[in-house]
Amino acid sequence: MTKGEETRTAILDHAVAIASEVGFTGLSIGQLAAQSGMSKSGLFAHFKSKEALQLETLEWARERFTALVIRPTLAAPRGERRVRALFDRWLDWETEALRGGCIFVTATAEYDDRPGPMRDALVRNQQDWMDFVATVVGTAVSEGDFRDDLDVAQLAFTLQALMLGYHHAARLMRDPQALEHTRQALDQLLETSAAAGRAGRATTV
């Protein structure tokens, strides 16, 4: 990367970290200036407005998510093992990637009923993600690991609901068993999805 690109990447890394803790509405150029060591005028030259900063921060979060979750998932063997790899990397994102937890969950709470460019971008990102989850589940069907009659969209929805449940239990309730319960729920879900003759033969990555 050029020096300018390195600077922009560093700024957006700071912005993602801030947004994960205080939300996108709490993300300001002034706060970013304090954390990044850049001047407000320098940041305005990069982003022009608070909304532009928010949109670029969301896009950068998507790129980080792609690098930390999607690419490692695609490197795993097709089938149930790829589904499990997806969930493991998703949990890593939720628990380790950002101090404030999943930035997309934070954004959802802020923009679910707030029309505008941020909500539109967030909806597109989440739809792309759910399509990806459904595709990964579909490979487990085509590989013979999951039942032929499995509703892949329903399973993708349930996996999303399971992760949101983990977020609630771990972040809000501080439940020490949140991770254990989540993994048990995943095992049970995949057990009911398994093709005949594969039940009880759960694999791990």
Side-chain angles (χ1 to χ4, degrees):
M1 291 187 292
T2 66
K3 185 172 180 59
E5 290 171 335
E6 289 178 351
T7 299
R8 193 176 192 83
T9 295
I11 292 169
L12 288 170
D13 280 339
H14 282 296
V16 167
I18 293 169
S20 80
E21 294 191 67
V22 303
F24 282 89
T25 54
L27 174 64
S28 68
I29 287 179
Q31 186 178 21
L32 184 55
Q35 293 230 3
S36 66
M38 287 192 66
S39 66
K40 287 184 182 180
S41 60
L43 289 173
F44 269 116
H46 276 284
F47 301 107
K48 308 302 181 185
S49 69
K50 180 175 180 176
E51 183 175 75
L53 169 61
Q54 291 169 332
L55 287 166
E56 291 206 38
T57 300
L58 181 64
E59 181 59 28
W60 185 242
R62 175 180 171 132
E63 291 188 29
R64 288 188 58 181
F65 186 84
T66 297
L68 294 173
V69 180
I70 294 178
R71 288 178 190 148
T73 293
L74 292 173
R78 289 165 57 91
E80 182 185 340
R81 285 187 290 175
R82 184 171 290 183
V83 175
R84 288 184 176 275
L86 179 150
F87 203 78
D88 286 344
R89 301 293 82 74
W90 201 354
L91 277 171
D92 289 344
W93 170 265
E94 174 62 48
T95 58
E96 299 176 15
L98 296 168
R99 183 175 177 180
C102 181
I103 195 170
F104 304 112
V105 175
T106 300
T108 297
E110 292 180 284
Y111 293 99
D112 59 352
D113 58 358
R114 184 180 298 182
M118 273 295 290
R119 186 183 189 281
D120 293 343
L122 181 62
V123 168
R124 286 193 301 272
N125 285 347
Q126 291 301 291
Q127 186 58 63
D128 288 346
W129 170 239
M130 292 306 295
D131 289 345
F132 176 76
V133 175
T135 298
V136 171
V137 172
T139 66
V141 175
S142 63
E143 290 294 313
D145 291 347
F146 290 171
R147 305 189 319 268
D148 287 339
D149 64 346
L150 184 70
D151 185 334
V152 297
Q154 178 62 51
L155 183 54
F157 177 90
T158 307
L159 289 170
Q160 172 82 339
L162 183 54
M163 189 61 73
L164 290 174
Y166 171 76
H167 182 95
H168 173 82
R171 292 270 167 193
L172 178 64
M173 305 306 294
R174 298 290 192 263
D175 181 355
Q177 292 185 291
L179 184 58
E180 179 185 353
H181 286 163
T182 301
R183 291 199 175 279
Q184 287 179 357
L186 176 66
D187 288 342
Q188 292 167 4
L189 179 62
L190 299 189
E191 183 81 7
T192 63
S193 303
R198 296 190 63 88
R201 295 169 56 193
T203 57
T204 56
V205 176

